Amino acid sequence: MEELKNYYRKIAKYSSASSLLYWDMQTYMPPHAGPYRAQVISEISSYAFKMSIDDVLGKMLNEANPENDIDRAIIKVGKKDYEKYKKIPPELFEETMRTATISEQEWQYAKPTGDFSKVKANLEKLVELNRKIADILGYEDEPYDALLDQFEPGMKAKKIEKIFTPLREFTIQTLEKIEKEGKNPPLVNPKIAVEKQKKFSEELIKYLKYDLNKGRLDVSAHPFTNPIGLNDVRITTRYIEDDVKDSIYSTIHEFGHALYALSIPEEFYSLPIGSSASYGFDESQSRFWENVLGRSLAFWKGIYKNGIIDILPELKEHTVEDIWRWVNEVKRSYIRTEADEITYNLHIILRFEIERALINGQLQVKDLPDIWNELFEKYIGLKVESNTIGCMQDPHWYGGSFGYFPTYSLGNIYAAQIYQRLREEIEFEKLLEEGNFEPIKQWLTEKIYSKGRIYEPEELMTLVTGNPPSVEPFMNYIKEKYSKVYEISL
């Protein structure tokens, strides 16, 4: 068994090197270094991939003698991964990695102008490569399911559709009622210098107890979290002078991801069970910390009471209730990462429908801007004037991630269901007002983080809350919260 674990630890070291190179590419790498960096990342990642499908590993998995339940979980999850990815030819994996890295670099340069022609060719190639991977992995109903399963094990597109259809209807109805009947939040939104925002974000992560001995906060075009290796999980944010909410909630969101990664048992590191249960579960934690906790009145009372607000006197001149209503403002908007809790899911549903059609062959890449603009106006009610704020605003497709987007809304749904259970067992609001996050972290660690990837999402949710995933707790959470924010009955 120890031989098997050591083999996985060796793979993890190569993956760690690749992750560090990717983090540098997104933060500090000189622009002209891009093409060579793509070669390096793809080669190292491909080497790690080849090790993960080597016959040697298959033999060790079959011959390992588990001594306890953890060992049995390692073998179970390891075999599932091995059997799945053994199907993919290493040359296809390397080509996909190389194309994705180059494509994402192209996206970074082309996004400011919204010139889709500069990213179209490699995006077409990525779609075709992902279709090949889907065919190789196999599926029952549609190719998209094979890719979705890589991010949310056990999930199917038809099941997502059944969840998203009532969610879309509920969201649009709620949005329209708020717009017609709700009492508008106060106008706050001052211009705040980047240096002040930076200081606030730094104090915020200290307040939340992000361990800077095991991570760091940097800046990138699109905020992200990157687990580099053992005790090294890095986050980024961004600063916009006339939108301080963006930096505040980008920072808290990424903190949620990092907390999950850093709270998984150290002995699980590098092993098949040493990550989050799924991307949806991972997102549930970033959305929990960002929205359920970070946009609550109790949290902002703690920010005022503990003096963190002093860094931003432009906000301090407003009452805590006004700030709370302001950070929960519901408004149709173009940018997903800046969207409020209610309209956010419309952004995800749109992306799910598009990428599903792309992978299933019902939509061509050349038609992506047009279908984006059409659906955006239909669901969100805004006319898109530029690809920069349209189909080129996110890096996911240009980095080859198809099947990822639905996990964001699943994260919202999971977070609300987890919150419903958590508040039954601990004094949530009281702790937030005190700025005491440790009991909350301990509860989440015991119920979720300590399990790593031992359980698949549906099984873990049932263990945590007593019920399988459901959209009802999220709808109830929205009704309860926004009835208070907008002083109406939802």
Side-chain angles (χ1 to χ4, degrees):
M1 195 69 203
E2 196 60 29
E3 183 184 14
L4 174 64
K5 292 178 182 178
N6 285 334
Y7 189 91
Y8 277 120
R9 290 176 185 129
K10 187 174 182 181
I11 295 174
K13 289 169 184 172
Y14 290 103
S15 298
S16 180
S18 179
S19 293
L20 181 59
L21 289 167
Y22 177 83
W23 170 83
D24 176 72
M25 182 180 80
Q26 297 291 342
T27 52
Y28 297 110
M29 183 190 77
H32 290 180
Y36 182 69
R37 179 61 55 86
Q39 294 178 34
V40 176
I41 289 175
S42 64
E43 189 162 330
I44 293 175
S45 299
S46 295
Y47 186 79
F49 177 75
K50 288 173 185 175
M51 287 186 68
S52 72
I53 60 169
D54 195 290
D55 291 341
V56 171
L57 175 58
K59 188 171 185 290
M60 282 193 284
L61 283 166
N62 286 325
E63 296 178 355
N65 294 310
E67 298 177 4
N68 49 50
D69 288 342
I70 296 299
D71 285 352
R72 280 184 278 276
I74 291 168
I75 294 170
K76 178 184 176 183
V77 177
K79 280 185 175 180
K80 183 179 178 182
D81 287 346
Y82 178 80
E83 290 165 4
K84 178 192 289 186
Y85 295 113
K86 180 74 172 174
K87 300 174 183 176
I88 301 175
E91 57 272 16
L92 175 58
F93 176 85
E94 185 168 0
E95 184 182 8
T96 304
M97 281 296 302
R98 184 172 58 253
T99 305
T101 307
I102 293 170
S103 175
E104 191 166 347
Q105 290 170 6
E106 288 177 342
W107 166 81
Q108 283 182 311
Y109 303 137
K111 180 186 173 183
T113 62
D115 188 349
F116 189 72
S117 67
K118 287 196 165 56
V119 295
K120 176 175 165 289
N122 268 317
L123 184 55
E124 286 175 335
K125 189 174 181 182
L126 277 174
V127 169
E128 188 56 39
L129 289 168
N130 274 274
R131 284 175 181 164
K132 285 182 181 178
I133 289 170
D135 286 340
I136 290 169
L137 292 176
Y139 51 87
E140 292 179 8
D141 296 325
E142 55 187 276
Y144 183 71
D145 284 344
L147 303 183
L148 181 60
D149 185 71
Q150 295 182 93
F151 298 99
E152 201 64 16
M155 187 59 73
K156 305 289 185 187
K158 287 181 179 177
K159 189 171 184 179
I160 294 277
E161 187 178 0
K162 286 182 180 178
I163 295 170
F164 282 3
T165 298
L167 179 60
R168 182 180 64 231
E169 293 170 359
F170 166 79
T171 301
I172 292 171
Q173 290 170 5
T174 303
L175 174 60
E176 290 175 348
K177 185 161 188 180
I178 285 173
E179 289 176 333
K180 289 177 183 176
E181 303 175 20
K183 180 180 177 182
N184 289 330
L187 294 172
V188 182
N189 210 35
K191 285 191 175 182
I192 297 178
V194 165
E195 281 306 309
K196 274 190 183 179
Q197 292 190 41
K198 185 172 184 289
K199 185 177 179 183
F200 188 80
S201 280
E202 289 169 350
E203 287 304 312
L204 194 54
I205 59 173
K206 290 177 187 175
Y207 180 60
L208 293 168
K209 302 286 193 299
Y210 174 49
D211 191 345
L212 289 170
N213 291 311
K214 298 179 180 180
R216 53 181 293 134
L217 174 66
D218 292 281
V219 177
S220 64
H222 188 96
F224 69 100
T225 299
N226 199 343
I228 304 293
L230 182 62
N231 295 326
D232 185 357
V233 180
R234 308 182 188 192
I235 65 176
T236 69
T237 191
R238 64 184 171 199
Y239 303 106
I240 303 170
E241 195 175 65
D242 60 356
D243 188 4
V244 67
K245 281 194 288 188
D246 187 85
S247 67
I248 291 172
Y249 288 104
S250 292
T251 300
I252 300 176
H253 180 99
E254 301 307 335
F255 162 80
H257 281 306
L259 177 66
Y260 195 164
L262 288 169
S263 301
I264 291 170
E266 191 170 308
E267 60 268 28
F268 288 9
Y269 177 71
S270 78
L271 303 175
I273 59 172
S275 64
S276 57
S278 70
Y279 279 70
F281 248 94
D282 208 304
E283 195 62 27
S284 80
Q285 294 312 290
S286 60
R287 300 296 282 177
F288 172 83
W289 285 91
E290 174 193 355
N291 291 328
V292 177
L293 186 150
R295 294 186 197 266
S296 69
L297 180 57
F299 175 78
W300 278 98
K301 284 181 177 178
I303 292 288
Y304 273 67
K305 185 186 294 185
N306 289 282
I308 311 298
I309 196 66
D310 294 346
I311 299 168
L312 300 178
E314 298 91 339
L315 297 187
K316 189 180 180 182
E317 67 182 51
H318 300 275
T319 67
V320 66
E321 287 80 10
D322 281 351
I323 293 298
W324 166 66
R325 293 188 67 219
W326 170 62
V327 300
N328 286 291
E329 181 181 16
V330 175
K331 186 179 180 180
R332 300 171 194 263
S333 60
Y334 291 99
I335 308 301
R336 173 185 65 86
T337 55
E338 299 170 11
D340 57 83
E341 279 184 284
I342 293 179
T343 61
Y344 184 91
N345 291 310
L346 297 176
H347 291 260
I348 298 305
I349 292 167
L350 174 150
R351 287 160 171 79
F352 161 67
E353 292 181 6
I354 290 175
E355 68 177 21
R356 183 186 186 186
L358 279 170
I359 298 302
N360 289 345
Q362 297 154 343
L363 177 68
Q364 295 184 54
V365 168
K366 68 179 179 63
D367 298 320
L368 177 54
D370 290 338
I371 191 65
W372 177 287
N373 297 349
E374 178 187 325
L375 290 178
F376 201 91
E377 189 167 3
K378 177 182 177 183
Y379 293 162
I380 301 174
L382 297 175
K383 190 174 180 62
V384 181
E385 302 292 347
S386 164
N387 291 328
T388 300
I389 58 172
C391 66
M392 290 176 66
Q393 67 177 268
D394 294 305
H396 302 62
W397 291 335
Y398 307 95
S401 294
F402 296 92
Y404 188 161
F405 273 124
T407 65
Y408 285 114
S409 279
L410 289 175
N412 286 334
I413 292 165
Y414 295 171
Q417 189 165 337
I418 291 164
Y419 168 59
Q420 182 184 62
R421 182 65 176 172
L422 181 150
R423 69 192 297 201
E424 293 171 358
E425 299 186 11
I426 63 176
E427 295 180 289
F428 187 71
E429 283 75 18
K430 181 174 181 290
L431 292 169
L432 295 193
E433 285 193 36
E434 296 170 352
N436 180 11
F437 306 106
E438 289 313 303
I440 297 168
K441 290 179 182 177
Q442 289 169 12
W443 190 93
L444 292 169
T445 297
E446 177 191 345
K447 304 289 185 180
I448 300 171
Y449 307 156
S450 65
K451 312 303 182 188
R453 198 176 152 221
I454 292 174
Y455 304 103
E456 290 200 346
E458 186 166 336
E459 186 179 7
L460 181 56
M461 183 60 74
T462 304
L463 286 171
V464 174
T465 69
N467 294 293
S470 168
V471 74
E472 291 302 320
F474 177 77
M475 292 179 178
N476 292 334
Y477 160 75
I478 291 295
K479 289 175 186 176
E480 179 186 349
K481 178 176 179 178
Y482 286 90
S483 290
K484 295 174 184 175
V485 172
Y486 278 89
E487 300 179 12
I488 57 175
S489 178
L490 292 173

